[in-house]
Amino acid sequence: MKMDDPHGKRMPGGVVTLAHGGGGSAMRKLIENVLLPAFNNPLLAALEDQATVPLAELLVHGDRLAFTTDSYVVTPMSFPGGDIGKLAVCGTVNDLAVSGARPLYLSCGLVIEEGLEMAHLAMIVESIAHAARLAGVSVVTGDTKVVERGAADKLFINTAGIGVIPAGIQISASRAQPGDAVIVSGSLGDHGIAILLARNELALDAAVMSDCQPLHGLVAVMLGACQDIHCLRDATRGGVATVLNEFATSSRVGIRLREAALPVNETVRGACEILGLDPLYLANEGKLVAVVPATHADAVLAAMRAHPAGLEAAIVGEITAESAGNVILSTAFGGYRVVDMLVGEQLPRIC
Amino acid sequence: MQYADEFRDPAKARTLVEEISKLAALLAKARGRPLQVMEVCGGHTHTIFRYGLKAMLPEALEFVHGPGCPVCVLPMGRVDDCVALACNPKIIFTTFGDAMRVPGSKGSLLQAKAEGADVRMVYSPLDALKLARENPTREVVFFALGFETTMPSTALTVLQARREGIRNFSLFCNHITIIPTIKAILDSPELTLDGFLGPGHVSMVIGNRPYDFIAERYHRPIVVAGFEPLDILQSLWMLLKQMKEGRCEVENQYKRIVPEAGNAQALAAVAEVFELREFFEWRGLGSIDHSGVRMRAAFADYDAERKFGVPGLSIADPKSCQCGEVLKGVIKPHQCKVFGTSCTPERPLGALMVSSEGACAAYYRFGRIAIKPVETETVAS
Ligand code: SF4
């Protein structure tokens, strides 16, 4: 383990013990030495039991609150393209962003397994702080628990987020209409395969980076090109297939996808071939799926491609009136098949 | 992937589909019923659904999804044995991913894992051997299953374990062999099959001669087929051509991979480690003579069955399961009484609902509803 973080700061030594979660001086020290300097903002620094957010500041941005929470339990904690800390920020920021909201505040709950190296914890905390700065959100409240060895897998993180939705924006999974275009923001499955590779379970030597990234900037330019985006969702666990099935069910429409139009990077495609996995179901952490009126599809696409998070955006299909509730894929080969909801986890095939 | 793309050319596919449609119409008319072609191998079933081949082909041609998914034909009793082994606290039980969900009478390996058994997913037997090396105080058992396709790699792993003197590694051997199974299907009185697509990966090991009896004794044509969609279409076309010309032969479409005589080295490793069992039970098909292999006595130290003992109970499939009839092509998956109701991929009653190669799971996932194909856009893009 490196004792210095990439930003050159000296990292604390030792390991986290149960005392660090006990509410006493060890805990105080952990908060003051590790958490406060990283998250560094006046709302948190007050160290009250709650963050006090002035309403006036929220009202500038819109007329509705978006509020979300998610827990992060990924193994391994660090992987090419990110770590659990970055994931915990991006995941929650993205859950806010896809409502059209501007993400503003995060909470951060840490459940630490006794024995985690302090330096490792500090690195993850720094990664949370770094990701939050990039996403333009502040970590304004938090909680730290230490559990006995074996009761958790090194570190679990829960983040909740608050954002504000601008007036006039109505994004919902139930708004897809026949004729609308379906857009994905980039290549599918990079995160899923990166994690599999990082677990070292595959006898594959391939470089795949997780796509873990905040999407609020991308959403902002999309809304700039079309205020009336109908559906928007980030395609995390369960992948694009799951999101589209949810749209099809909620909106009572059919969705017709074109396999040839789906962006999948070569290495991911290769790994999927070998393992019998389907990129449509692989997890992403920085990709979204949008349903937009056909008249605005090209404008939205162009705006997305001009943004770093949407360089490979593509129109991959359309909403149809027939086969309501179902997602149909026209295969690149000229056939078609149903893209169903995934049952449980995707398990690689035997041969 | 360039190599694979060559076998996924939609324009070539269209030409083949046209040819197949013409032949199928002719033959079906002469026989007064649709043609039935069995793809023996689960890999083929997967390709057929994955690329939507069924929708491209005429109704005069029906696929029968054969017994070639090793996960699907695993009897409940063997799954119970797996669970019993996995529950032994000394043992790290290793298995391929899709075998984890197969229901036994007391739940699946996935459930055993949730309840505390040390079950780990691996991608090859060598991964399991590596675990044994890294955990010298534990016993690592690899759940070996599959046809001749996967047999050589487990045989070679055992040989390597012995060379390295690794003592805490063993196989729970459930390998099966394809020929007696095809024979059992051909002997079934309900048989209506007109021809076979032969399992390419199996032939890579055993070659093509072992199929001669299908053509000679049972007078059915067989084409050994590759796994890309164009492989399957071309094989179908070759098969129908045989039928039209009144021939019954073993033809090899998968020449780029399959040598006529198989792979001598792989066969030697298999022969060194394994021997035929008197009989082996299959889910849905009952017991088939000489259809499974076990480890030879010389490898008793590497045989989990001998080392730890397994209950080895034979457990009847639930009464409502019609897996056997689906495997033999007597009914289609959706015609099973419990399809999509009490048997779904979330809660599979029968094994065909478990693996994505299983006929019922594939029907459920890929082909449940009938939709008219959209012809225009796909070829253009
Ligand atoms: S639906 Fe279930 S029980 Fe019926 S044949 Fe398929 S797997 Fe077997």
Side-chain angles (χ1 to χ4, degrees):
Chain A
M1 163 88 45
K2 266 191 7 198
M3 295 297 282
D4 293 293
D5 83 340
H7 310 282
K9 271 181 252 161
R10 186 81 192 139
M11 287 288 175
V15 298
V16 177
T17 66
L18 287 173
H20 287 109
S25 65
M27 180 158 180
R28 182 88 192 181
K29 248 164 91 187
L30 175 72
I31 293 174
E32 282 176 357
N33 294 346
V34 179
L35 300 174
L36 286 186
F39 297 150
N40 181 30
N41 66 71
L43 287 181
L44 180 68
L47 280 185
E48 298 291 347
D49 282 347
Q50 71 296 115
T52 311
V53 177
L55 287 179
E57 246 171 61
L58 300 179
L59 283 169
V60 199
H61 297 292
D63 60 359
R64 280 153 300 156
L65 269 190
F67 179 32
T68 186
T69 182
D70 213 337
S71 300
Y72 299 83
V73 295
V74 64
T75 304
M77 281 203 289
S78 301
F79 43 84
D83 57 44
I84 189 172
K86 182 177 179 192
L87 206 59
V89 173
C90 293
T92 295
V93 163
N94 291 347
D95 282 344
L96 294 172
V98 291
S99 69
R102 170 159 182 183
L104 293 170
Y105 301 110
L106 293 187
S107 75
C108 174
L110 303 173
V111 177
I112 309 167
E113 186 188 22
E114 169 191 22
L116 178 69
E117 282 166 72
M118 197 57 92
H120 203 161
L121 176 66
M123 220 158 68
I124 301 290
V125 168
E126 184 48 48
S127 168
I128 296 174
H130 185 68
R133 276 195 297 276
L134 282 186
V137 295
S138 308
V139 179
V140 293
T141 184
D143 173 52
T144 305
K145 293 281 184 314
V146 180
V147 296
E148 278 177 40
R149 209 179 273 274
D153 187 6
K154 293 193 186 80
L155 175 66
F156 297 157
I157 302 180
N158 172 276
T159 47
I162 286 180
V164 178
I165 307 173
I169 286 174
Q170 273 310 338
I171 297 171
S172 154
S174 61
R175 288 195 65 218
Q177 286 158 31
D180 286 356
V182 179
I183 303 180
V184 300
S185 67
S187 60
L188 312 185
D190 299 10
H191 179 73
I193 293 294
I195 292 288
L196 276 179
L197 289 171
R199 280 196 199 142
N200 231 340
E201 280 171 1
L202 314 185
L204 288 179
D205 228 359
V208 180
M209 298 269 279
S210 164
D211 52 14
C212 181
Q213 61 179 333
L215 293 170
H216 63 291
L218 180 67
V219 173
V221 301
M222 291 169 72
L223 286 169
C226 171
Q227 278 262 315
D228 189 30
I229 289 177
H230 289 163
C231 322
L232 203 55
R233 201 160 273 187
D234 55 336
T236 52
R237 255 189 323 168
V240 167
T242 303
V243 171
L244 289 175
N245 270 289
E246 284 163 2
F247 289 172
T249 311
S250 297
S251 299
R252 295 198 190 82
V253 293
I255 298 181
R256 172 74 73 167
L257 286 183
R258 276 170 289 122
E259 187 177 38
L262 293 172
V264 181
N265 98 39
E266 282 293 296
T267 324
V268 170
R269 213 174 126 198
C272 284
E273 291 277 332
I274 293 167
L275 300 170
L277 300 173
D278 187 338
L280 273 170
Y281 293 95
L282 286 177
N284 312 274
E285 282 299 339
K287 297 291 156 55
L288 56 76
V289 186
V291 174
V292 300
T295 43
H296 288 74
D298 289 333
V300 172
L301 188 68
M304 291 173 82
R305 288 193 169 158
H307 189 278
L311 297 176
E312 293 171 76
I315 296 178
V316 296
E318 67 271 322
I319 306 295
T320 60
E322 70 266 17
S323 51
N326 288 290
V327 181
I328 313 296
L329 177 83
S330 299
T331 73
F333 192 65
Y336 66 87
R337 64 174 162 93
V338 177
V339 177
D340 214 340
M341 278 291 209
L342 186 65
V343 178
E345 230 186 307
Q346 257 202 118
L347 294 174
R349 285 183 296 123
I350 162 174
C351 56
Chain B
M1 278 303 113
Q2 219 102 46
Y3 187 62
D5 286 340
E6 230 181 280
F7 301 98
R8 296 176 191 175
D9 176 350
K12 282 194 191 130
R14 250 201 321 205
T15 321
L16 276 168
V17 166
E18 271 166 33
E19 291 296 316
I20 292 169
S21 302
K22 270 188 232 150
L23 283 171
L26 216 71
L27 288 158
K29 199 170 158 215
R31 289 173 203 213
R33 59 168 177 82
L35 296 181
Q36 281 201 329
V37 171
M38 171 179 277
E39 86 280 3
V40 178
C41 178
H44 286 156
T45 309
H46 188 81
T47 305
I48 289 165
F49 283 100
R50 164 89 179 72
Y51 293 92
L53 297 191
K54 215 168 80 84
M56 301 167 75
L57 290 164
E59 280 175 16
L61 179 66
E62 286 179 0
F63 285 110
V64 175
H65 313 293
C69 162
V71 169
C72 298
V73 293
L74 203 66
M76 279 215 175
R78 300 300 283 188
V79 179
D80 287 356
D81 291 342
C82 288
V83 172
L85 280 169
C87 288
N88 180 337
K90 268 200 307 214
I91 291 176
I92 301 176
F93 195 84
T94 58
T95 167
F96 292 130
D98 53 359
M100 301 205 2
R101 253 204 301 259
V102 194
S105 73
K106 301 183 196 79
S108 65
L109 281 165
L110 210 55
Q111 281 162 301
K113 181 176 154 80
E115 283 158 22
D118 195 348
V119 180
R120 308 208 194 162
M121 187 169 80
V122 292
Y123 292 87
S124 90
L126 282 174
D127 296 345
L129 186 60
K130 195 168 144 232
L131 269 176
R133 241 180 254 126
E134 291 165 356
N135 295 275
T137 58
R138 306 280 305 276
E139 284 286 342
V140 173
V141 175
F142 176 66
F143 180 27
L145 81 171
F147 288 97
E148 282 84 346
T149 327
T150 49
M151 251 185 243
S153 66
T154 40
L156 289 165
T157 306
V158 169
L159 292 173
Q160 183 168 338
R162 194 171 64 174
R163 259 200 318 278
E164 290 183 31
I166 296 175
R167 313 286 308 185
N168 63 329
F169 175 77
S170 56
L171 294 188
F172 179 41
C173 180
N174 284 274
H175 280 302
I176 40 183
T177 164
I178 195 80
I179 299 297
T181 317
I182 301 184
K183 216 183 251 159
I185 288 169
L186 284 163
D187 281 333
S188 158
E190 303 139 317
L191 182 79
T192 51
L193 298 175
D194 296 288
F196 290 87
L197 295 184
H201 287 160
V202 169
S203 282
M204 202 162 83
V205 177
I206 67 171
N208 292 330
R209 296 286 62 87
Y211 305 124
D212 283 346
F213 75 97
I214 300 176
E216 284 163 13
R217 248 196 306 141
Y218 292 90
H219 310 293
R220 296 290 195 285
I222 169 167
V223 177
V224 174
F227 291 83
E228 291 297 330
L230 274 186
D231 286 330
I232 300 223
L233 289 181
Q234 196 190 15
S235 301
L236 279 174
W237 173 72
M238 288 166 69
L239 203 61
L240 297 192
K241 234 171 101 210
Q242 281 202 46
M243 291 179 202
K244 175 160 174 273
E245 291 163 13
R247 289 182 290 126
C248 282
E249 291 166 19
V250 181
E251 287 185 309
N252 184 4
Q253 181 274 337
Y254 206 23
K255 284 208 177 82
R256 64 181 190 277
I257 303 277
V258 171
E260 280 299 302
N263 179 335
Q265 233 180 332
L267 285 172
V270 166
E272 184 176 354
V273 177
F274 300 121
E275 64 186 6
L276 284 180
R277 291 177 196 258
E278 277 302 276
F279 51 82
F280 192 79
E281 200 181 308
W282 293 59
R283 188 174 294 221
L285 294 177
S287 178
I288 301 177
D289 290 352
H290 301 122
S291 64
V293 302
R294 64 164 166 246
M295 301 182 74
R296 290 185 186 278
F299 291 89
D301 291 354
Y302 294 96
D303 184 351
E305 263 173 281
R306 286 179 167 109
K307 220 168 152 178
F308 306 104
V310 295
L313 294 180
S314 161
I315 290 159
D317 294 334
K319 274 215 181 55
S320 47
C321 274
Q322 293 182 280
C323 296
E325 276 138 291
V326 173
L327 284 175
K328 285 186 281 192
V330 181
I331 61 167
K332 292 247 170 304
H334 62 269
Q335 290 165 337
C336 170
K337 289 188 290 272
V338 290
F339 178 88
T341 51
S342 38
C343 187
T344 61
E346 290 103 336
R347 309 192 70 237
L349 256 190
L352 298 188
M353 212 35 122
V354 177
S355 164
S356 57
E357 292 181 16
C360 291
Y363 255 75
Y364 191 90
R365 178 147 170 230
F366 289 146
R368 223 164 3 130
I369 50 171
I371 325 104
K372 275 200 223 83
V374 169
E375 268 126 30
T376 43
E377 58 185 357
T378 50
V379 180
S381 56

